[in-house]
Amino acid sequence: MKIRNRKRVLVTGGAGFLGSHLCERLLKEGDDVICLDNFYTGTKDNIQHLMENPFFEVMRHDVTFPLYVEVDEIYNLACPASPIHYQFDPVQTTKTSVHGAINMLGLAKRTKARIFQASTSEVYGDPEQHPQTESYWGHVNPIGSRSCYDEGKRCAETLFFDYYRQHNLDIKVGRIFNTYGPNMHPNDGRVVSNFIMQALTDQPITIYGDGQQSRSFCYVDDLIEAFVRLMASPAEVTGPINLGNPNEFTILELAEQVIEMTHSRSKIEKRPLPDDDPKQRQPDISLAKKTLDWEPKTLLEEGLKKTIPYFENLVKAGIKQ
């Protein structure tokens, strides 16, 4: 019998929102997948349907500690990504980004693996340039309540490029903009999950500020396609590269669309704007189009139609905000 030559792929944060979708995609590609998670925000519910696959392995482990496995590729997604979760233990959040990057880069160096860093649009802070290009250095508060995440991710990028320059490591850095879809944590405080859960339970839709701050929303399947393409790109394509949907919507527009699509009786309730909340966030994806031949395909309404049933099932199961 011929033994198939499968890639051995490690996904840190593999039981989280993005990680679980990535694990599923990689298994469909025929890879041998190790899902690594400490289950701080990730959940086994997200990966339960993958457990029967003989080429899927789950490891409970925290990336702030060294890991010794043999792999060909590493997707480093481990880090709480919503303000509610990353501000709960800000020191640990910074450790996850910085120590986690050091440990995964060390693993990649030892195994000669190609490594992908899930960076974020938060590296741009509250941007003065709109839309944001990869050459923009950002407008970030280094000592604010969100800095544990913003600066942790910025430091991780620094480490990746220093390992690239100093050790010739094969790196890929993607800057992820707002993404939504099934498997989002219902209590993560992010705007899409918040609005849908509030609408489905007829609670007030909470908008911070006047609702005119804008975001760009990318459906998860489109983002995972970008991950896979970036990982498979030529070695000289290191990034950082913006990965997101350039179509821009105000928070108020999103709230009104969710209310309409869920047939909710919810009313919109305005609250004070949180510290360091960016007023605009929109990617320039020219580089992704050019180097990866990638751009999102899913319109917001279409993506919400695929996302709302997931939250409806959570509400039916008695899961609340």
Side-chain angles (χ1 to χ4, degrees):
M1 184 179 72
K2 184 178 180 181
I3 298 176
R4 185 172 180 181
N5 189 21
R6 295 174 180 268
K7 281 188 301 186
R8 300 164 301 177
V9 185
L10 171 66
V11 180
T12 75
F17 165 43
L18 297 181
S20 58
H21 284 277
L22 178 59
C23 287
E24 185 171 0
R25 170 64 184 271
L26 295 173
L27 288 169
K28 287 178 180 176
E29 298 276 331
D31 294 334
D32 190 340
V33 178
I34 299 174
C35 167
L36 187 99
D37 211 295
N38 68 353
F39 297 102
Y40 173 57
T41 56
T43 170
K44 288 181 181 177
D45 291 333
N46 287 343
I47 52 173
Q48 186 66 44
H49 63 297
L50 306 176
M51 295 289 198
E52 297 300 317
N53 192 315
F55 298 102
F56 182 67
E57 178 183 353
V58 181
M59 292 182 67
R60 184 185 289 270
H61 184 85
D62 191 312
V63 293
T64 60
F65 297 94
L67 179 71
Y68 302 97
V69 292
E70 304 305 316
V71 289
D72 303 305
E73 292 180 350
I74 302 167
Y75 287 87
N76 186 35
L77 275 58
C79 189
S82 72
I84 284 178
H85 292 141
Y86 66 63
Q87 290 174 342
F88 178 76
D89 189 346
V91 172
Q92 185 62 27
T93 296
T94 303
K95 282 183 177 180
T96 301
S97 285
V98 178
H99 292 191
I102 290 168
N103 287 329
M104 291 305 108
L105 287 162
L107 176 62
K109 181 186 173 187
R110 182 182 67 78
T111 59
K112 297 181 171 55
R114 174 171 283 191
I115 182 168
F116 171 97
Q117 167 65 8
S119 191
T120 172
S121 59
E122 298 290 343
V123 300
Y124 299 121
D126 187 2
E128 295 175 323
Q129 174 183 299
H130 192 74
Q132 293 84 56
T133 62
E134 291 85 353
S135 60
Y136 177 53
W137 289 356
H139 178 230
V140 180
N141 176 3
I143 58 169
S145 61
R146 299 168 68 108
S147 304
C148 57
Y149 185 69
D150 303 356
E151 296 289 32
K153 289 289 190 177
R154 284 162 70 96
C155 185
E157 286 197 14
T158 300
L159 287 162
F160 265 69
F161 278 90
D162 283 338
Y163 265 79
Y164 168 69
R165 286 184 286 259
Q166 189 172 337
H167 301 296
N168 198 31
L169 205 65
D170 193 354
I171 68 164
K172 307 287 178 183
V173 177
R175 289 177 176 166
I176 302 166
F177 283 70
N178 288 58
T179 307
Y180 68 98
N183 295 3
M184 292 184 81
H185 196 294
N187 302 321
D188 67 3
R190 286 190 273 194
V191 65
V192 173
S193 52
N194 249 15
F195 285 2
I196 294 176
M197 288 295 287
Q198 289 168 340
L200 290 174
T201 53
D202 293 321
Q203 298 175 38
I205 303 286
T206 50
I207 285 182
Y208 296 92
D210 59 6
Q212 294 307 305
Q213 62 270 42
S214 65
R215 296 292 185 272
S216 307
F217 302 102
C218 184
Y219 186 63
V220 62
D221 288 355
D222 289 332
L223 187 74
I224 297 305
E225 176 66 26
F227 283 10
V228 172
R229 291 193 186 200
L230 179 53
M231 185 63 99
S233 63
E236 61 269 17
V237 180
T238 60
I241 188 164
N242 288 338
L243 304 176
N245 195 322
N247 294 326
E248 192 177 13
F249 296 87
T250 67
I251 298 301
L252 186 59
E253 286 173 330
L254 174 67
E256 290 168 345
Q257 184 152 15
V258 167
I259 289 171
E260 180 182 345
M261 291 180 70
T262 55
H263 309 291
S264 176
R265 297 191 297 271
S266 296
K267 304 296 182 185
I268 292 173
E269 184 179 285
K270 294 183 179 178
R271 295 184 181 176
L273 200 64
D275 290 341
D276 297 330
D277 190 56
K279 300 173 188 67
Q280 291 181 305
R281 189 58 62 68
Q282 181 190 23
D284 182 317
I285 61 167
S286 303
L287 186 59
K289 287 181 180 179
K290 179 181 177 182
T291 58
L292 307 179
D293 190 27
W294 174 86
E295 61 181 313
K297 307 292 185 189
T298 309
L299 299 175
L300 181 61
E301 184 176 357
E302 181 186 347
L304 289 173
K305 281 180 182 176
K306 296 177 180 179
T307 305
I308 289 170
Y310 165 76
F311 287 99
E312 285 176 335
N313 289 333
L314 294 183
V315 171
K316 287 175 186 175
I319 295 173
K320 301 176 181 179
Q321 281 189 306

